[in-house]
């Protein structure tokens, strides 16, 4: 039995997470967890930035939508509509388009 890299607990061969500390054991799972956490962080930052623009300008609305788009559950919802979730880079580009529209609206209004 291999040991967990984080806490040293014995982990089954097929386990994807440590039963003791919850640390991902598969490199692909680790990558997905990190991408998910980074997506949430940037999404929250964009939402806060969009909300701070809202009282005086409507350019914050697309920025908020771009932040919501970065959340992994939003990506899964798009997968239900289109048959499969968009790739991570495509989701980021889609969010960036919303943010750019918001920035343009901010400077035009």
């Amino acid at each position: 039995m291999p040991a967990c890299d984080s806490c040293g607990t014995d982990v089954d061969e097929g386990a994807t997470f440590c039963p003791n500390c919850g640390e991902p054991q598969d490199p692909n799972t680790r990558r997905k967890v990190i991408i998910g956490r980074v997506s949430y962080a940037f999404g929250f930052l964009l939402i806060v930035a969009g909300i701070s623009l809202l009282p005086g300008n409507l350019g914050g609305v697309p920025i908020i939508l771009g932040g919501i788009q970065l959340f992994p559950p939003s990506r899964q919802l798009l997968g239900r509509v289109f048959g499969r979730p968009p790739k991570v880079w495509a989701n980021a580009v889609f969010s960036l388009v919303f943010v750019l529209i918001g920035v343009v609206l901010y400077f035009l209004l």
Side-chain angles (χ1 to χ4, degrees), residues 4-94:
C4 174
D5 295 336
S6 179
C7 68
T9 304
D10 289 336
V11 181
D12 291 334
E13 290 289 332
T16 55
F17 291 94
C18 174
N20 185 38
C21 67
E23 183 72 23
Q25 299 300 308
D26 181 28
N28 290 331
T29 305
R30 286 183 186 165
R31 181 177 176 269
K32 289 178 184 177
V33 168
I34 290 171
I35 288 173
R37 290 177 182 169
V38 169
S39 295
Y40 273 116
F42 279 114
F44 280 120
L45 287 174
L46 286 175
I47 289 172
V48 169
I51 289 173
S52 68
L53 293 176
L54 274 183
N57 197 314
L58 291 177
V61 173
I63 294 174
I64 292 171
L65 292 174
I68 292 171
Q69 180 58 41
L70 282 179
F71 292 156
S74 298
R75 187 170 165 258
Q76 297 304 320
L77 286 174
L78 274 178
R80 289 185 184 175
V81 173
F82 295 115
R84 67 174 194 202
K87 298 209 181 271
V88 173
W89 65 267
N91 197 43
V93 168
F94 190 58

